[in-house]
Amino acid sequence: MLCDGCNESMQRETIVIVSRARGRMRSIMQPGWYCWTCRTSVHSAGDLSEPETAGRGPRVPRGWPVTPARVGTARAGVAR
């Protein structure tokens, strides 16, 4: 496949994309066609749906992760 921007050959690869949100880092594997000359990429609908389903893990209960303050409150309640 040739790049529309620079006419160089694009490579089919899967790269790691790291995103940061709310102080947490998350990495996903993103397949697609990449041109390393002009730094562009082309993705099919199937390429874009893979990371969405792969990134979904088990749901975390509300209030997690438990902070040290919550542990202290729980311990104080048990000590009574």
Side-chain angles (χ1 to χ4, degrees), residues 11-80:
Q11 299 172 358
R12 177 77 180 166
E13 294 186 28
T14 300
I15 64 168
V16 177
I17 297 175
V18 178
S19 64
R20 292 186 181 114
R22 299 183 198 147
R24 295 184 181 169
M25 288 179 52
R26 178 180 168 196
S27 61
I28 59 171
M29 303 296 286
Q30 179 62 65
W33 289 93
Y34 294 92
C35 175
W36 300 113
T37 305
C38 65
R39 313 283 285 172
T40 59
S41 60
V42 176
H43 306 280
S44 68
D47 291 341
L48 295 175
S49 68
E50 286 180 30
E52 289 177 8
T53 56
R56 290 187 190 137
R59 288 189 53 93
V60 177
R62 188 174 206 169
W64 284 80
V66 177
T67 62
R70 290 189 65 195
V71 171
T73 304
R75 286 184 181 159
V78 172
R80 288 184 195 172

